[in-house]
Amino acid sequence: METILNISNLNLSFISDRQKEESLFLFRDLSLEIEREKITALVGGNGAGKTTLFNVISGLQRGASGKVNFQGSEITRLSPYKIARLGIGRLFQGARVFEELSILDNMVIGAIHHANEIPFYNLLFYRKSMAFEKGLEEKAEAILSELFGSNNIFWEDRIKPAGNLSFGHQRLLAMARLLMGNYSLYLLDEPTAGVHVQFIEQIASAIRHMNSHSHKTVLLIEHNMHFVRQMAEYCLYMENGKIIAKGHPNDVLASDQVQQSYMGI
Amino acid sequence: MDFLYHIIIMIGIYTILALAANIPVGLANLLSLAQAAFYGIGAYLSAFVLLNFNIPLLPGLFVVAITTGFFSLLISLASIRLKGDYFILAALGFQLIVFSVLYNWTDVTKGPYGISGIPPPRLFAFIELTANFQFAILSVSLAALTSFLFYYLVKSPFGRVLKSIRSDELSVSISGRNVYQFKIIAFFLSAGFSASAGFLFAGYVKYIDPTSFTLDESIFILSALFIGGLGNVKGCIVGAAVIVILPELLRFAGLPDNIAANLRQIIYGLALILVMLYFPKGLAGDTMLK
Ligand SMILES: Nc1ncnc2c1ncn2[C@@H]1O[C@H](COP(=O)(O)OP(=O)(O)OP(=O)(O)O)[C@@H](O)[C@H]1O
Ligand SMILES: [Mg+2]
């Protein structure tokens, strides 16, 4: 089995080196591997450090020791934008769309940086720039209609500000925007949290789209165990700064350890 | 008639200054208190260029704008990553330093005496712009050009990234954009545009001294922007018109000059508060302050 992401011996504490005590480490020699082209769920109690782990991977959390390897190259201390360009996409916990921007602009911004974004480029190379923009808009339309059908409200209301959408719709838009970036690895932080049940099936199909349609790897954090069982092929369980169980979701979630600490049984 | 030209020229200058401030403040979420410093650097460089070289208007303007742009890097690089409060402090410090240098480096700037006898700029090396009506046309043309460039910038993919930075910086960087670089460029452009207003000003009044480029002036420029509104061209024109015309109204009201001068500050302050209260987006703006 080929791995796409390798984390080895990660240590992180939020207090300075001098006062470090064993018990205050958020990560203690945490290591994990993520299989390529699979959907893996990362599960753990509130405050276990799941979001922080995503922050380490995407370069937003500094100060961790250890190594993060992505597709064979080390990304440990790279800037977030460089990590994104290498192919790691991220869905934040919460809504996080650009509220003042139109729905279409939100989609287009999801595509990785390009020469078009140099100031006055569109004044100097008008045709080229317009053609490129058009390409991005077509891509946005294609993704939206593939995910939500050809008469979806996102495309119909594309010139309206994204902030007008309901929370659930903003979440769907954020998922669709992620697909604009052609990432190889998607990090999804609680995609279904706070979302009305009517949207969950659409979120599930967006994730399947990422995975089976474009053969991309998905690592998702979830508290919805039904969703985890339904979506994931692998499950990682995080506790006390480590991954303490890994395997098929049913096996991991049924193990005594997890039952005791997570489900509180 | 000259009075009317004067009003038009000043509205043109403040429109450019407000548009320049609008790039960092209205689009990239960088509250810059150094706008008058760039305006001043532009004016002094222009005086130097007009006094020493016989170059036509547009190339002169371009050289001054680019050179002033480089000064913006002092702030950008000092407040690493241009994060919120650090940036505000770095820009404030820069504003104070620039004023102090203009005031005290007498060998070069003649300090408080200022620089006088600035020759008029020349269009295509032969038309000297001396009459006020010519300056009014120049001022309106440059304001129109700046408005056009600003409008283009806002609508362009570059502007789209700046607006998204304003909305949620982290989400922009995890979509593969170097946010820091975008902010540096935005601030560079702002300094360059402000400098072109300085060029107009130096060529028009023919005498400049440091008191036109104080921290008060920076706040004044931001007031024009806030009164008019952030994010678009309209707001800048409205804001510039309000702050240029308001004090003149006081004079028409028959107040003696010394009282009018004191009242001015109060009126600006009141205008700012009233606008914030009743028009949170300014009189004609697109977005609210963050
Ligand atoms: N920058 C920081 N400084 C100090 N403590 C932090 C910082 N970031 C996170 N923490 C702490 O680290 C712990 C892990 O937080 P994190 O957000 O990663 O948890 P999580 O597993 O995502 O939880 P949830 O399931 O509730 O989202 C929390 O106790 C949090 O308060
Ligand atoms: Mg979390």
Side-chain angles (χ1 to χ4, degrees):
Chain A
M1 217 38 101
E2 204 188 345
T3 63
I4 187 168
L5 185 78
N6 274 286
I7 297 179
S8 50
N9 302 327
L10 197 67
N11 281 285
L12 176 69
S13 117
F14 285 120
I15 51 168
S16 70
D17 280 333
R18 256 175 290 134
Q19 336 166 278
K20 259 181 206 170
E21 285 172 43
E22 238 343 73
S23 60
L24 292 170
F25 275 84
L26 187 58
F27 302 135
R28 259 180 285 179
D29 280 328
L30 182 148
S31 298
L32 62 76
E33 291 179 345
I34 303 296
E35 316 296 349
R36 189 183 281 278
E37 292 181 29
K38 303 283 182 218
I39 298 178
T40 303
L42 177 61
V43 180
N46 288 110
K50 304 178 296 295
T51 299
T52 309
L53 183 62
F54 273 16
N55 286 342
V56 170
I57 299 170
S58 44
L60 296 173
Q61 176 65 56
R62 308 256 141 190
S65 68
K67 281 201 169 74
V68 182
N69 264 282
F70 174 65
Q71 315 216 69
S73 52
E74 198 183 329
I75 59 165
T76 317
R77 262 161 280 280
L78 293 183
S79 307
Y81 77 94
K82 286 187 182 153
I83 292 174
R85 288 183 194 181
L86 286 174
I88 300 184
R90 164 97 185 255
L91 178 77
F92 279 120
Q93 203 167 348
R96 302 297 275 257
V97 295
F98 301 112
E99 296 184 2
E100 293 169 9
L101 269 63
S102 72
I103 291 173
L104 182 58
D105 279 350
N106 263 277
M107 287 296 287
V108 169
I109 265 287
I112 277 304
H113 171 81
H114 38 87
N116 235 4
E117 290 176 348
I118 296 168
F120 303 117
Y121 184 87
N122 58 338
L123 209 53
L124 301 174
F125 305 98
Y126 185 73
R127 276 156 177 270
K128 203 171 152 190
S129 166
M130 289 311 276
F132 194 85
E133 280 286 296
K134 193 147 182 297
L136 289 178
E137 288 175 16
E138 280 165 3
K139 185 172 177 185
E141 184 181 10
I143 288 173
L144 288 173
S145 63
E146 215 159 315
L147 291 183
F148 311 119
S150 49
N151 289 322
N152 62 82
I153 65 147
F154 299 102
W155 186 251
E156 270 164 24
D157 290 349
R158 62 187 175 279
I159 56 170
K160 295 193 183 151
N164 290 0
L165 294 168
S166 70
F167 181 83
H169 279 123
Q170 290 190 16
R171 210 79 187 117
L172 289 176
L173 177 61
M175 297 277 298
R177 180 179 71 196
L178 214 45
L179 286 170
M180 291 289 290
N182 285 338
Y183 297 105
S184 331
L185 171 63
Y186 291 91
L187 305 177
L188 311 178
D189 200 342
E190 302 192 19
T192 70
V195 173
H196 195 276
V197 278
Q198 72 181 98
F199 295 120
I200 291 187
E201 195 39 51
Q202 282 177 303
I203 288 175
S205 76
I207 294 173
R208 280 194 211 99
H209 183 96
M210 287 170 178
N211 176 241
S212 53
H213 187 279
S214 9
H215 306 287
K216 301 297 161 57
T217 312
V218 176
L219 176 59
L220 61 92
I221 296 173
E222 234 346 304
H223 285 295
N224 177 344
M225 289 312 128
H226 177 71
F227 193 77
V228 167
R229 288 199 174 89
Q230 179 195 343
M231 301 296 302
E233 289 159 87
Y234 291 99
C235 182
L236 303 172
Y237 186 76
M238 187 166 172
E239 194 183 77
N240 293 330
K242 278 194 168 75
I243 303 297
I244 59 164
K246 175 177 181 177
H248 191 274
N250 284 333
D251 301 337
V252 171
L253 297 176
S255 73
D256 290 347
Q257 237 176 340
V258 174
Q259 288 284 321
Q260 272 169 19
S261 66
Y262 187 66
M263 315 287 178
I265 300 170
Chain B
M1 217 38 201
D2 265 358
F3 173 71
L4 188 64
Y5 291 140
H6 172 73
I7 297 284
I8 291 173
I9 293 165
M10 293 318 286
I11 292 178
I13 288 175
Y14 279 101
T15 300
I16 297 173
L17 288 169
L19 284 166
N22 210 348
I23 302 172
V25 181
L27 300 178
N29 225 8
L30 294 168
L31 185 65
S32 162
L33 287 170
Q35 296 305 108
F38 298 129
Y39 178 37
I41 292 171
Y44 273 84
L45 285 176
S46 304
F48 176 75
V49 166
L50 289 168
L51 280 165
N52 294 293
F53 304 100
N54 200 358
I55 69 173
L57 187 133
L58 285 177
L61 196 63
F62 193 71
V63 168
V64 167
I66 296 287
T67 314
T68 307
F70 280 104
F71 278 93
S72 76
L73 297 181
L74 292 175
I75 300 177
S76 308
L77 301 176
S79 59
I80 312 172
R81 311 240 167 271
L82 299 180
K83 280 266 161 62
D85 300 344
Y86 291 105
F87 172 81
I88 294 175
L89 290 178
L92 175 65
F94 181 78
Q95 170 65 51
L96 298 175
I97 290 168
V98 167
F99 175 77
S100 181
V101 168
L102 294 181
Y103 201 84
N104 293 306
W105 197 11
T106 43
D107 291 348
V108 175
T109 65
K110 304 219 177 69
Y113 302 108
I115 295 179
S116 52
I118 301 168
R122 291 194 286 176
L123 207 55
F124 312 120
F126 51 88
I127 309 173
E128 273 207 348
L129 297 169
T130 44
N132 276 358
F133 91 92
Q134 290 173 317
F135 251 98
I137 292 174
L138 178 66
S139 177
V140 170
S141 313
L142 278 183
L145 177 69
T146 311
S147 301
F148 169 77
L149 291 175
F150 181 86
Y151 177 81
Y152 229 95
L153 216 53
V154 172
K155 297 283 168 211
S156 73
F158 175 72
R160 185 169 58 214
V161 178
L162 291 189
K163 281 185 282 183
S164 56
I165 288 174
R166 199 184 130 81
S167 171
D168 180 359
E169 205 173 308
L170 274 188
S171 290
V172 179
S173 58
I174 58 142
S175 346
R177 268 69 166 197
N178 186 347
V179 170
Y180 183 36
Q181 192 180 319
F182 276 94
K183 286 182 170 180
I184 290 180
I185 296 172
F187 201 45
F188 187 102
L189 292 172
S190 174
F193 282 129
S194 302
S196 67
F199 186 97
L200 260 179
F201 183 72
Y204 169 56
V205 299
K206 299 180 182 58
Y207 163 78
I208 52 172
D209 73 61
T211 58
S212 307
F213 312 110
T214 56
L215 177 61
D216 275 6
E217 180 68 13
S218 273
I219 294 170
F220 190 63
I221 293 167
L222 292 183
S223 307
L225 179 60
F226 294 147
I227 289 173
L230 299 173
N232 62 19
V233 172
K234 246 185 326 181
C236 292
I237 299 174
V238 171
V242 168
I243 61 156
V244 171
I245 293 172
L246 211 56
E248 305 300 337
L249 291 180
L250 288 183
R251 207 175 321 173
F252 276 120
L255 288 173
D257 264 3
N258 59 336
I259 298 183
N262 291 333
L263 260 185
R264 238 163 81 163
Q265 303 274 347
I266 297 175
I267 299 264
Y268 285 139
L270 265 180
L272 199 56
I273 293 170
L274 288 176
V275 166
M276 293 288 119
L277 271 178
Y278 294 104
F279 303 90
K281 290 182 172 182
L283 296 175
D286 274 354
T287 49
M288 304 237 259
L289 253 184
K290 275 226 158 168

